[in-house]
Amino acid sequence: MTMSWRPTYRSSKFRNVYGKVANREHCFDGVPITKNVHDNHFCAVNSKFLAVVTESAGGGSFIVIPVSQSGRLDSHHPKVCGHQGNVLDIKWNPFFENIIASCSEDTSVRVWEIPEGGLRRNMTEAVLELYGHSRRVGLIEWHPTSSGILFSAGYDYKILIWNLEIGEPVKMIDCHTDVILSMSFNTDGSLLATSCKDKKLRVIEPRSGRVLQQASCKNHRVNRVVFLGNMKRLLTTGVSRWNTRQIALWDQEDLSMPIVEEDIDGLSGLLFPFYDADTHMLYLAGKGDGNIRYFEITTEKPYIQYLMEFRSPAPQKGLGVMPKHGLDVAACEVFRFYKLVTLKGLIEPISMIVPRRSDTYQEDIYPMTAGTEPALSASEWLSGIDRDPVLMSLKDGYHRPNQLVFKAPVKEKKSVVVNGIDLLENVPPRTENELLRMFFRQQDELRRLKEELTTKDVRIRQLELELNNLKNVSPNNV
């Protein structure tokens, strides 16, 4: 008689994935990582550059280091330092590897173009300066398939959609009643999920600003939300009513109840979720923890299957994630974190590796993945078109250079009207911080006007002298 025996876990090719910390010479050392306590990663990475928000006196700055130039950072390494307030978030454009956006306490969003090979001197001039929020801007997110669309979320509880082809905000999403904590897009960017301090989880149609689904999370206080690729599911991290850290899985078309809730532990740091749609793996990293847990997400029960945990004694402040085309395919690397260790001024790459004996390309762990080519332009997306990402194979390594060139629009200062509201109208400051920011902005404007006056004065004096010379010369000629 044969007994039916069910193993406690499904057999999975990712069962034995392990985390491997890079050798010391491949780490980035001596980086003055920001001490800001804002709950962001302060780190962004792509196949060319690593960007990290740094501690700086007066204004906000971040550094950009070519990924290949690991080792000890020179203390005079040039910075990107145009903001007047602390930088709160930075994100690389997924299609232009030299373009990075930053947002700050100075209420602005800025777009920078990093020269090939990295910075040789401090950069203060942004390609675009975007003003539209009345309070500090805490989050930015690039649209996943359109080349010129950027989302920003401010402490004015608004999300602005910027069309970078014209350098203007084209839409304001105004459905939140408190600070927006996170934003996540579905695969084609037709839906936006947000978590908010008002304890609500929302699924929004970004072009119309319509809230399609909303959950009031009484038992599970949501902190972060992430779309699970094309599964029509959302995953949130948060806190249970007993103050334990928790994850919850939701159906994006019905947020009345989570499909499943799972307690993680009793620690207090925020849990950052990272989802890899190619492998269906979810990584959970707690702020201030040293470990990263990973799970496999499935469409049938138990939905969330615990795999393993990467452990390290050094606590992480934030984590950057390398895009797929920057991974080492020959080493069967399926994910790579860049971990910020503030106390040591250290950034450690951590590779998640599937152990395989064969040296050949592993088709099953590297399906076609979203590449570096946009599926549509900003104007196409705004007109209502949705397209899935343009996929690429990692088989032959990533060599194809992007032929696109980022063109910033030439802008004149004028009023910015979105939804009938002039965003650049003088908004009265509501806090001391806002008053200071407004003061600094006006100081900058005064400085610029004074410089203009001085140059005009000099020009006037030159012209007067020339006129006098002409007068002096002319009587002799008579």
Side-chain angles (χ1 to χ4, degrees):
M1 182 184 140
T2 57
M3 286 182 70
S4 72
W5 178 78
R6 269 193 87 212
T8 53
Y9 62 85
R10 296 159 51 258
S11 75
S12 161
K13 56 187 146 198
F14 303 112
R15 182 79 205 152
N16 297 311
V17 167
Y18 65 96
K20 183 183 173 193
V21 180
N23 299 334
R24 192 68 193 219
E25 64 267 24
H26 292 120
C27 294
F28 300 82
D29 207 349
V31 182
I33 300 165
T34 179
K35 295 184 173 67
N36 195 314
V37 294
H38 194 71
D39 281 332
N40 274 353
H41 289 294
F42 299 114
C43 175
V45 65
N46 66 20
S47 66
K48 281 187 184 177
F49 299 111
L50 167 68
V52 183
V53 179
T54 55
E55 194 59 26
S56 64
S61 62
F62 59 94
I63 54 167
V64 175
I65 314 165
V67 167
S68 55
Q69 288 175 23
S70 53
R72 189 150 194 89
L73 187 76
D74 176 18
S75 57
H76 300 296
H77 189 89
K79 293 183 165 87
V80 179
C81 49
H83 282 288
Q84 274 99 46
N86 287 328
V87 175
L88 297 179
D89 198 10
I90 47 175
K91 295 270 163 65
W92 289 105
N93 184 312
F95 311 113
F96 302 97
E97 299 220 288
N98 292 51
I99 298 290
I100 188 167
S102 60
C103 63
S104 160
E105 288 185 346
D106 66 9
T107 74
S108 76
V109 175
R110 299 187 189 204
V111 178
W112 311 84
E113 185 163 13
I114 306 299
E116 280 302 323
L119 297 177
R120 285 164 194 82
R121 61 184 70 86
N122 280 356
M123 182 179 269
T124 53
E125 289 296 307
V127 181
L128 275 174
E129 283 183 30
L130 307 170
Y131 286 99
H133 287 284
S134 61
R135 301 186 69 180
R136 61 184 164 155
V137 188
L139 280 176
I140 41 176
E141 213 60 68
W142 291 95
H143 191 273
T145 59
S146 169
S147 56
I149 296 284
L150 181 68
F151 283 59
S152 63
Y155 276 60
D156 50 7
Y157 315 156
K158 315 260 191 299
I159 294 174
L160 291 182
I161 305 178
W162 301 88
N163 176 357
L164 301 187
E165 288 174 5
I166 58 168
E168 300 287 348
V170 286
K171 178 79 200 156
M172 180 164 71
I173 298 172
D174 190 9
C175 58
H176 299 86
T177 60
D178 209 325
V179 176
I180 297 135
L181 300 172
S182 69
M183 299 189 278
S184 176
F185 288 100
N186 64 343
T187 310
D188 66 3
S190 59
L191 295 176
L192 173 72
T194 64
S195 60
C196 180
K197 230 174 172 174
D198 63 11
K199 299 188 177 68
K200 288 189 171 67
L201 172 65
R202 293 173 175 87
V203 173
I204 300 163
E205 203 175 64
R207 282 174 293 229
S208 66
R210 208 154 56 87
V211 179
L212 302 178
Q213 284 290 323
Q214 184 170 292
S216 293
C217 312
K218 292 185 179 67
N219 296 339
H220 168 82
R221 281 202 315 281
V222 171
N223 281 324
R224 293 290 180 273
V225 59
V226 64
F227 262 104
L228 300 180
N230 279 333
M231 282 187 173
K232 295 198 180 301
R233 300 271 163 88
L234 295 169
L235 185 119
T236 58
T237 66
V239 182
S240 75
R241 54 162 60 170
W242 317 115
N243 273 351
T244 54
R245 295 199 291 190
Q246 216 180 32
I247 54 175
L249 188 68
W250 307 77
D251 178 342
Q252 74 181 40
E253 281 158 11
D254 177 15
L255 297 185
S256 56
M257 279 286 286
I259 299 167
V260 64
E261 289 176 344
E262 203 165 299
D263 285 343
I264 301 297
D265 59 28
L267 298 178
S268 59
L270 178 82
L271 272 180
F272 291 117
F274 301 89
Y275 181 67
D276 178 3
D278 296 349
T279 58
H280 305 300
M281 280 176 72
L282 168 78
Y283 300 87
L284 290 183
K287 189 174 179 176
D289 301 3
N291 59 352
I292 299 170
R293 295 177 176 87
Y294 36 107
F295 303 78
E296 197 169 3
I297 305 285
T298 55
T299 45
E300 315 90 48
K301 281 184 175 173
Y303 305 116
I304 302 169
Q305 185 71 51
Y306 174 74
L307 293 173
M308 226 169 345
E309 183 174 354
F310 163 80
R311 289 171 179 253
S312 146
Q316 57 232 2
K317 183 185 180 75
L319 294 154
V321 171
M322 175 63 80
K324 272 285 152 106
H325 62 263
L327 298 180
D328 183 355
V329 174
C332 293
E333 183 184 34
V334 286
F335 214 74
R336 190 192 305 160
F337 292 103
Y338 284 76
K339 169 176 165 173
L340 269 54
V341 186
T342 320
L343 298 172
K344 298 180 183 173
L346 183 70
I347 296 158
E348 283 183 335
I350 301 166
S351 299
M352 308 309 289
I353 291 168
V354 179
R356 294 274 167 105
R357 285 203 177 88
S358 164
D359 288 340
T360 56
Y361 179 70
Q362 308 289 310
E363 206 85 49
D364 60 329
I365 59 174
Y366 295 116
M368 294 285 279
T369 190
T372 57
E373 217 177 292
L376 64 178
S377 67
S379 41
E380 283 177 315
W381 182 76
L382 289 165
S383 72
I385 302 168
D386 289 317
R387 279 197 203 117
D388 281 328
V390 179
L391 301 181
M392 65 185 273
S393 165
L394 300 178
K395 185 166 188 176
D396 310 313
Y398 169 71
H399 295 302
R400 195 180 52 182
N402 196 332
Q403 298 306 314
L404 292 165
V405 178
F406 182 81
K407 283 195 180 70
V410 178
K411 291 184 70 182
E412 293 167 26
K413 285 270 187 262
K414 58 178 188 294
S415 66
V416 176
V417 180
V418 178
N419 297 12
I421 299 165
D422 186 351
L423 298 177
L424 295 185
E425 212 175 4
N426 284 335
V427 182
R430 278 174 280 190
T431 64
E432 198 177 330
N433 266 353
E434 274 182 48
L435 192 64
L436 277 171
R437 280 196 293 282
M438 201 172 266
F439 169 74
F440 288 131
R441 211 187 295 167
Q442 284 170 349
Q443 289 292 93
D444 276 3
E445 184 69 5
L446 280 171
R447 205 174 298 123
R448 192 179 59 75
L449 290 169
K450 275 180 186 166
E451 279 167 11
E452 249 178 62
L453 268 175
T454 313
T455 50
K456 284 190 173 132
D457 279 347
V458 170
R459 185 76 189 117
I460 288 166
R461 277 204 294 279
Q462 280 173 340
L463 290 167
E464 280 174 346
L465 279 169
E466 280 172 32
L467 200 65
N468 278 339
N469 287 344
L470 281 169
K471 278 181 187 168
N472 293 339
V473 169
S474 50
N476 299 340
N477 291 345
V478 173

